[in-house]
Amino acid sequence: MDELTREFLIESQEGLDRMERCLTDLEERPDDAALLADIFRSVHTIKGTTGFLGFKRLEELAHSGENLLGMLREGKLAVSAPIITGLLHLLDGLRSILKTIEADDKEGDGSDAALIENLDQLQSPTKAEEMKQATHARTSSAKSHFEPRQAVPAEPPVAAVFQEPAAVVETRPAPPEAPTSPASPAPPEAREAETTRAKAAPGTSAAESTLRVDVTLLNRMMNLVGELVLTRNQVLQATSADPKMTLLSRRLDMVTADLRESVMKARMQPVSNVFSKMPRIVRDLAQSLHRRVRLQMEGQETELDKSLLEAIKDPLTHAVRNSLDHGIEPPDVREAAGKDPEGTLRLRAMQEGSHVIIEVSDDGGGIAVDKVRAKAIERGLITADRAALQPERELLQLIFLPGFSTAAAVTNVSGRGVGMDVVKTNVERIGGKVEIDSRVGKGTTLRLRIPLTLAIIPALIVRSVHQSFALPQGALSELVHVSPEQAATTIEWIEDAPLYRLRGKLLPLVFLDRLLTPAASGDNARDRDSFIAILDADGRRFGLVVDGLADPEEIVVKPLSVALKGIGLYSGATVLGSGDLALILDPSAIAMKAGVTMTTEEEAARSSEAETADVENRAEFLLVEAAGRKAAVPLGDVLRIEQMPMSRIEYVGVRPVINFDGQLLPVDDTGGVLAASEGNPEAQVVVVVCREGNRHVGIAVSHVLDVATGAELYEAGTTLRTQGVTLLKECVTGVVNLGGIADLVADVTASNEWSPTAEAIQ
Amino acid sequence: MSNQVAAATRRKDKSASALVEICSVRLGNALYGMPISHILEIVGGARPQPVPLAPSFVGGLVHYRGDVLTAVSLRQLLRMPPLDGPQDILVLESSGGCFGLLVDSVGEVLTVPAADFEPNPSTLDETRRDLIAGAYKLQNALMVMLDPERLDPVRLGVAEAA
């Protein structure tokens, strides 16, 4: 294909895209001469160039379209729904020929006779009228005010641009057929939208200041800029000593940053590129589904990386289809429900931090949560108990599960669900998220969260086997630091499987260093700091143990060679700010390789049951130390931990007490902490204030160590003050018997030998 | 067993002068040659980032012009002990894309008559024969030629898997 043809194809496609936009606009504003002029220009350009290039079929088709458009432009004919439909068919016809040319460099030998005949027929007003009458029954009344006989003043394009469109709407005579199908006047917001659109009317000057650039060239520029950034970093490091060079390198720094931003910007395109396809889809669907729909679009100027824009096109189309098909009810149903028979579909785009939010909302029937819940239980996606506990909003997200999409019953009753898992998958593939919100009878909102650029993702840089790795933040839910002393107790083992107790639940651990160097000796002791990164990868929850954490960084993802993809643990590589390379870890691949299975709803339910059963045996304890011995205080009974000077401790007989908020608080000093500091009013002591029945008691301790979950051990012997002992952090620890302390208050004079209750048996 | 380097060289012979430019690389005490036409760039003093669990022939990853290249370790391929410290990398272009070749150091570029090329002797060990294209007869030594196509990590990966 020669350069000229290729150029023609690109230009024509752009022209046709613009024509499509204008046609749907024209339907709303049939007397906008500027729009007509623009459409005419698109078709005319195609006709002119095709004649020159020798595409006869295309020329003939464009010619008949041009004739019809010419009549419209001169005001000999008024815009009507059948004419718009005819012109849209013309558009499709032109497009399909262009496609054929693109593929085989030839026009193909299809016949356009029927289409041309249709276009010719439309030129005669009576014919058009007849057709209109015939189609009127099924076309929406919004289109019914396009009266063919109604004289439309042939305004010159320029005048129309400056004319107040709102005024046009108001001065338009009421449609004669109004009684049969009530035409609603455009609501104020729609008029406003019209105004803004008319103001932004097609300006050819924009085309002159822009340039078409190949995307691959932009990608290459992006890579080179990345390279420049790294070189700059190295220059900055190398020249930091020389004051003259510092100035120069700082300038280099600034220019590079600007350049990088500009190149990134060059890849950005407004979402209007995708939104602009929607009016046509909505129009066609509304007609075929017999719905009346008003489309509102906001935030079209929001920009998004080109590759992402391409990626959201399908999910968005799907969402719009869903809204029309299952969301917005037929006009009679809407009227019966006391709603405007014309439904509203809103497309909204906005930027929120490093994400772009795209919302598709309708004011249709919404999704009945009860139905979703019932279906989910029926399909075994969720247990009944769990379903009862989950908030409605979370239940709604279930419709994204693959099991739901094919369930015809749900689609019919709840109103939505076809291929929602496809929407979710597509959006998640590009690192985005999908949420749904719905209220029965009020409508549904689907929210897509898309990252600004595909190539750059936030990641946490972790260290293991003396190397840096990037861990995508998306999968990371929390981080736990384990000091070498803690490592022996916090990381527990069932045979060879390491586990960590995260809020009472056992979490499988994966040691990154062992995973990466299987040959290394399996030495379980960890003599250095470790960090557990709790990851949630596609429902697989596990802790990844790494040696260190570095800063979080926005990383540029680079693909790996095929030879390395086979390893399966890495999703790519990246160049860090320091110039070092880091492999990007793939959490779900690691989970799979380590054999972490998906927590199904059933399992989760079972474990939560076990948890409830466990609650009686398990309690949280405050681990305290008194004079070198550890003891446990039930956490539920602890009111506060007070640090105070010895001077506040007073004595009633031999019993130490403190005046605590006007109450006499007996202090238990079985650990001998107070006795050790006696006579030194400056010394600080820690008193744990606990509740015992209606009374409060204090326990003097040296330190408060930690909060831990313990299992009670009934077998242990009891003394006067121990209710029992508990297994705390794998150590059998004595529990302070608060009742025993409080009893003593009644008998302050009683002298008691303290028996070592709060003793840690190591 | 004809090979691409030789074929390419021969084609060149017919069209223009019968001279071929060869970049010499050192590996231990041995000298190897790489046709300069396949070399995109020589990166000196690189420290490749090791890739845990990678096939043995992978010497690591290197950063090259904003891209991350897989570097093939010639030492590993020839079953030589690994070398500590910085190494030179030849950035090569093959049908599968770009990759790096880790060598001890890069030497001078020699211009030799294409006619001096001889294919591998039949007695050459099987594993080496897969990597070596043949040799140029220099005045006082042989310049053993490496074939970039055969060093491509994708191809090596397939070979290793098989």
Side-chain angles (χ1 to χ4, degrees):
Chain A
M1 196 188 299
D2 58 56
E3 192 60 34
L4 201 65
T5 315
R6 194 173 302 128
E7 191 76 2
F8 159 71
L9 283 174
I10 297 172
E11 230 162 64
S12 306
Q13 262 142 16
E14 273 176 13
L16 290 179
D17 283 353
R18 196 167 53 237
M19 174 173 163
E20 188 168 33
R21 264 197 310 276
C22 293
L23 274 173
T24 38
D25 282 355
L26 189 69
E27 197 156 36
E28 284 168 36
R29 291 173 287 150
D31 15 19
D32 191 329
L35 278 175
L36 265 176
D38 208 12
I39 298 167
F40 185 83
R41 198 157 46 229
S42 302
V43 178
H44 181 76
T45 313
I46 292 177
K47 193 195 103 177
T49 330
T50 44
F52 177 66
L53 288 169
F55 293 123
K56 283 275 173 288
R57 196 181 146 198
L58 204 54
E59 189 186 358
E60 260 174 51
L61 189 56
H63 179 74
S64 74
E66 195 188 351
N67 283 346
L68 176 61
L69 282 165
M71 287 182 74
L72 289 171
R73 196 173 62 149
E74 286 155 31
K76 289 182 189 153
L77 205 61
V79 177
S80 66
I83 288 185
I84 298 266
T85 309
L87 288 172
L88 284 171
H89 285 155
L90 164 73
L91 184 81
D92 293 339
L94 292 173
R95 269 205 184 130
S96 81
I97 300 176
L98 286 174
K99 209 170 246 171
T100 322
I101 295 176
E102 199 172 358
D104 341 316
D105 218 351
K106 278 198 271 326
E107 289 179 287
D109 12 271
S111 167
D112 312 306
L115 188 52
I116 291 173
E117 195 188 337
N118 180 27
L119 288 170
D120 289 345
Q121 270 178 4
L122 286 170
Q123 284 180 43
S124 104
T126 45
K127 281 265 186 185
E129 168 76 338
E130 273 164 31
M131 284 178 72
K132 190 184 149 29
Q133 296 292 0
T135 52
H136 183 253
R138 59 180 176 85
T139 48
S140 73
S141 72
K143 280 132 208 157
S144 67
H145 43 229
F146 305 144
E147 249 304 283
R149 297 263 167 74
Q150 183 190 321
V152 176
E155 289 150 310
V158 184
V161 175
F162 294 108
Q163 192 169 352
E164 186 57 48
V168 175
V169 176
E170 275 161 0
T171 52
R172 187 185 302 148
E177 296 100 315
T180 50
S181 47
S184 52
E189 65 265 50
R191 254 180 256 155
E192 264 165 47
E194 276 175 40
T195 320
T196 47
R197 247 178 299 168
K199 270 178 191 153
T204 39
S205 64
E208 283 155 22
S209 66
T210 55
L211 190 65
R212 245 191 300 269
V213 182
D214 199 345
V215 178
T216 50
L217 179 67
L218 274 178
N219 289 346
R220 194 172 146 60
M221 276 169 74
M222 192 72 187
N223 273 350
L224 290 175
V225 167
E227 174 77 357
L228 183 63
V229 169
L230 286 163
T231 317
R232 169 204 67 181
N233 291 352
Q234 282 157 14
V235 168
L236 287 181
Q237 274 172 17
T239 57
S240 55
D242 186 341
K244 214 158 124 197
M245 282 302 285
T246 310
L247 235 108
L248 279 174
S249 55
R250 205 171 289 160
R251 171 126 190 87
L252 174 71
D253 186 19
M254 267 160 51
V255 173
T256 313
D258 269 6
L259 182 64
R260 183 186 186 160
E261 203 173 305
S262 309
V263 175
M264 293 262 271
K265 237 182 218 160
R267 287 178 54 93
M268 303 293 254
Q269 284 191 312
V271 293
S272 59
N273 284 16
V274 170
F275 275 18
S276 62
K277 303 267 185 287
M278 296 305 159
R280 169 85 189 270
I281 292 169
V282 170
R283 177 191 190 272
D284 288 359
L285 271 176
Q287 272 191 0
S288 66
L289 295 168
H290 311 300
R291 300 285 201 276
R292 285 178 49 199
V293 182
R294 183 171 58 234
L295 178 66
Q296 285 178 12
M297 298 195 282
E298 276 175 49
Q300 298 202 55
E301 68 289 340
T302 314
E303 289 191 320
L304 203 58
D305 191 279
K306 181 172 167 67
S307 53
L308 291 174
L309 214 52
E310 289 293 315
I312 62 158
K313 203 187 275 174
D314 282 349
L316 201 62
T317 311
H318 210 108
V320 166
R321 272 173 200 278
N322 248 333
S323 272
L324 255 70
D325 197 357
H326 308 299
I328 294 174
E329 315 92 324
D332 47 331
V333 177
R334 289 183 66 89
E335 248 176 345
K339 292 187 192 175
D340 182 351
E342 192 180 32
T344 308
L345 179 69
R346 264 173 52 163
L347 288 176
R348 231 149 68 96
M350 63 207 139
Q351 195 176 335
E352 205 183 273
S354 59
H355 282 81
V356 165
I357 315 277
I358 294 179
E359 270 184 9
V360 181
S361 50
D362 61 58
D363 61 350
I367 305 173
V369 178
D370 294 343
K371 303 264 168 62
V372 173
R373 185 185 289 135
K375 194 74 196 174
I377 294 169
E378 186 196 313
R379 301 207 137 223
L381 298 164
I382 187 167
T383 60
D385 298 347
R386 209 179 156 83
L389 291 173
Q390 271 198 339
E392 293 200 345
R393 210 183 134 102
E394 263 172 51
L395 276 170
L396 274 179
Q397 317 305 321
L398 287 174
I399 68 158
F400 292 116
L401 289 177
F404 256 87
S405 62
T406 48
V410 172
T411 317
N412 293 340
V413 292
S414 75
R416 205 175 281 232
V418 179
M420 284 314 249
D421 65 316
V422 179
V423 172
K424 189 176 161 84
T425 323
N426 278 345
V427 172
E428 283 181 351
R429 192 174 298 145
I430 52 169
K433 278 195 178 133
V434 189
E435 273 169 35
I436 195 157
D437 222 344
S438 182
R439 285 169 67 192
V440 180
K442 291 274 165 38
T444 307
T445 301
L446 188 76
R447 203 170 289 114
L448 316 181
R449 276 176 75 86
I450 318 287
L452 270 182
T453 59
L454 178 60
I456 297 175
I457 57 165
L460 179 75
I461 311 302
V462 298
R463 306 234 359 129
S464 190
V465 293
H466 310 289
Q467 248 178 279
S468 296
F469 294 91
L471 199 56
Q473 295 264 25
L476 187 67
S477 58
E478 55 190 297
L479 289 165
V480 179
H481 174 227
V482 180
S483 68
E485 308 88 66
Q486 285 176 309
T489 51
T490 18
I491 298 175
E492 300 175 83
W493 298 81
I494 295 180
E495 295 298 314
D496 283 342
L499 298 160
Y500 176 73
R501 267 186 232 191
L502 181 71
R503 287 185 283 280
K505 242 177 143 179
L506 286 180
L507 189 75
L509 290 182
V510 177
F511 286 91
L512 187 58
D513 48 357
R514 276 196 227 178
L515 189 71
L516 296 179
T517 51
S521 62
D523 153 37
N524 290 354
R526 293 187 64 88
D527 49 358
R528 50 184 187 271
D529 278 352
S530 3
F531 295 87
I532 304 174
I534 317 271
L535 302 175
D536 199 342
D538 306 334
R540 294 181 166 89
R541 213 169 142 75
F542 66 103
L544 186 70
V545 185
V546 297
D547 296 344
L549 302 178
D551 292 333
E553 226 173 277
E554 301 257 296
I555 56 166
V556 182
V557 182
K558 305 280 180 192
L560 281 181
S561 148
V562 185
L564 296 179
K565 276 193 185 134
I567 305 172
L569 293 181
Y570 316 116
S571 55
T574 190
V575 185
L576 300 178
S578 58
D580 285 345
L581 288 175
L583 288 154
I584 302 166
L585 297 171
D586 180 345
S588 36
I590 291 176
M592 263 191 275
K593 185 136 184 165
V596 179
T597 51
M598 207 165 310
T599 331
T600 61
E601 285 295 337
E602 217 179 304
E603 260 178 64
R606 215 186 306 135
S607 67
S608 78
E609 269 166 41
E611 215 172 86
T612 359
D614 235 18
V615 164
E616 288 127 60
N617 298 337
R618 279 173 172 282
E620 289 211 287
F621 290 96
L622 183 73
L623 192 60
V624 296
E625 192 186 304
R629 284 182 288 213
K630 282 180 193 163
V633 181
L635 191 64
D637 293 331
V638 175
L639 291 176
R640 54 200 289 183
I641 298 164
E642 291 266 323
Q643 188 170 32
M644 59 185 75
M646 269 305 282
S647 53
R648 273 194 63 188
I649 310 281
E650 292 162 279
Y651 288 86
V652 175
V654 293
R655 287 298 298 180
V657 292
I658 49 172
N659 183 353
F660 184 73
D661 291 343
Q663 281 184 292
L664 184 73
L665 189 77
V667 180
D668 174 63
D669 188 32
T670 42
V673 177
L674 299 181
S677 310
E678 218 174 336
N680 179 7
E682 299 297 311
Q684 295 281 324
V685 291
V686 178
V687 175
V688 180
V689 181
C690 304
R691 179 176 44 213
E692 204 287 313
N694 300 327
R695 293 165 295 184
H696 293 171
V697 294
I699 300 164
V701 299
S702 328
H703 306 283
V704 171
L705 297 171
D706 202 356
V707 171
T709 313
E712 298 207 357
L713 295 172
Y714 297 107
E715 298 86 0
T718 50
T719 61
L720 178 66
R721 289 179 194 160
T722 46
Q723 194 178 355
V725 285
T726 184
L727 191 67
L728 217 57
K729 296 198 162 193
E730 287 199 332
C731 298
V732 178
T733 311
V735 180
V736 177
N737 181 359
L738 297 169
I741 302 166
D743 285 342
L744 283 172
V745 187
D747 184 14
V748 282
T749 50
S751 71
N752 279 289
E753 283 295 306
W754 180 64
S755 44
T757 57
E759 192 164 8
I761 304 154
Q762 295 281 348
Chain B
M1 185 171 118
S2 86
N3 54 71
Q4 287 176 339
V5 172
T9 350
R10 277 182 209 128
R11 251 180 276 122
K12 233 183 210 172
D13 298 352
K14 280 169 202 158
S15 58
S17 71
L19 291 176
V20 187
E21 282 188 303
I22 294 167
C23 176
S24 65
V25 297
R26 220 173 48 78
L27 205 70
N29 296 322
L31 211 58
Y32 294 90
M34 176 66 74
I36 209 156
S37 53
H38 288 76
I39 302 176
L40 285 178
E41 194 169 321
I42 295 163
V43 183
R47 286 183 180 276
Q49 171 88 2
V51 181
L53 301 182
S56 62
F57 62 82
V58 174
L61 297 177
V62 282
H63 179 220
Y64 173 71
R65 304 234 165 158
D67 268 327
V68 174
L69 294 189
T70 306
V72 172
S73 163
L74 196 54
R75 274 184 170 263
Q76 291 277 14
L77 278 179
L78 298 175
R79 310 252 185 277
M80 289 168 76
L83 182 77
D84 282 334
Q87 289 172 284
D88 285 347
I89 291 175
L90 299 179
V91 180
L92 303 174
E93 197 175 21
S94 80
S95 47
C98 291
F99 67 96
L101 183 70
L102 279 168
V103 297
D104 288 4
S105 61
V106 175
E108 56 187 337
V109 175
L110 306 173
T111 310
V112 293
D116 287 352
F117 183 80
E118 292 238 7
N120 285 330
S122 57
T123 50
L124 191 69
D125 157 27
E126 192 78 40
T127 51
R128 307 270 162 138
R129 203 190 297 174
D130 283 344
L131 308 171
I132 292 163
Y136 280 99
K137 294 166 283 182
L138 303 185
Q139 263 194 334
N140 46 9
L142 284 176
M143 167 74 77
V144 180
M145 292 303 292
L146 297 168
D147 181 352
E149 285 298 329
R150 292 179 210 200
L151 296 172
D152 188 318
V154 178
R155 209 186 131 136
L156 291 171
V158 172
E160 183 156 285

